Amino acid sequence: MSQPASMIPGTNIPCYVFETTGDVTTHVAQMIANTTRERNSFGQKAVLRLATGSTPVGVYRELIRLHQEDGLDFSQCVIIGLDEYYGLGNDKIQSHSRWIRQQLLDHVNVAEQHIHLLDGTVPIDEIESYCLRYDEKIRKSGGIDLLLLGIGGNGSIGFNEPF
């Protein structure tokens, strides 16, 4: 599985080394599951900011399995979408909102009112106010408990493309 966590010198960030992608997937899914269970046990909402792309696919499959086989309850989770293509409607096949619904949200019991995904069709003159309202949703939800980012083949992190 993983080697014990070590710290990056000068930080408090634990680092893990895994032998396989499956080991990483299981570890990350368990982190999300543990956060969700902990918040549920206190009657609180777990606020999860989730990415799209190939990196989290295995994590989402494991979360679906934990929900279906172990009863992991997402009903009190708040899902905050990380990214979306501007100009693309949520019904389009390339939409990140559509993707995350297909890969995770359609298979677990997250309440629809707790799902906040970005709208890529906001008129350009309303983007700033839309972003401020989106940030306010995060604040009202209690802030982010866990943020899952992907790392692209070109070195992008969380859809922030190099150059």
Side-chain angles (χ1 to χ4, degrees), residues 11-12 24 29-30 49-50 55 63 65 68 84 100 104 114 118 120 125 129 132 134 136-137 141-142 144:
T11 73
N12 291 323
V24 172
Q30 281 301 320
R49 188 116 197 224
L50 301 178
T55 303
L63 289 173
R65 187 195 69 75
Q68 293 173 345
E84 183 57 273
I100 200 160
L104 177 66
H114 294 159
L118 290 159
D125 60 330
S129 63
L132 291 171
Y134 201 75
E136 185 61 24
K137 288 179 187 180
S141 297
I144 305 296

Side-chain angles (χ1 to χ4, degrees), residues 75-90:
S75 65
Q76 295 304 308
C77 285
V78 174
I79 305 299
I80 308 288
L82 180 67
D83 47 23
E84 183 57 273
Y85 288 111
Y86 185 69
L88 200 61
N90 293 348

Side-chain angles (χ1 to χ4, degrees), residues 56-113:
V57 169
V59 172
Y60 296 156
R61 287 182 184 151
E62 178 64 8
L63 289 173
I64 292 166
R65 187 195 69 75
L66 290 169
H67 171 70
Q68 293 173 345
E69 296 178 13
D70 295 344
L72 179 59
D73 181 15
F74 289 93
S75 65
Q76 295 304 308
C77 285
V78 174
I79 305 299
I80 308 288
L82 180 67
D83 47 23
E84 183 57 273
Y85 288 111
Y86 185 69
L88 200 61
N90 293 348
D91 60 330
K92 301 298 182 194
I93 196 157
Q94 302 91 342
S95 166
H96 289 195
S97 295
R98 179 178 170 170
W99 185 95
I100 200 160
R101 285 186 181 279
Q102 291 175 334
Q103 295 296 320
L104 177 66
L105 301 177
D106 290 348
H107 307 282
V108 297
N109 65 327
V110 176
E112 189 62 34
Q113 70 267 22

Side-chain angles (χ1 to χ4, degrees), residues 3 8-9 24 28 54 81 100 104 146 159:
Q3 296 179 4
I8 296 175
V24 172
V28 172
S54 60
I100 200 160
L104 177 66
L146 195 139
F159 210 60

Side-chain angles (χ1 to χ4, degrees), residues 37 45 83 96 133 151 154:
R37 288 184 184 115
K45 292 176 175 54
D83 47 23
H96 289 195
R133 289 191 308 274
I151 300 175
N154 64 354

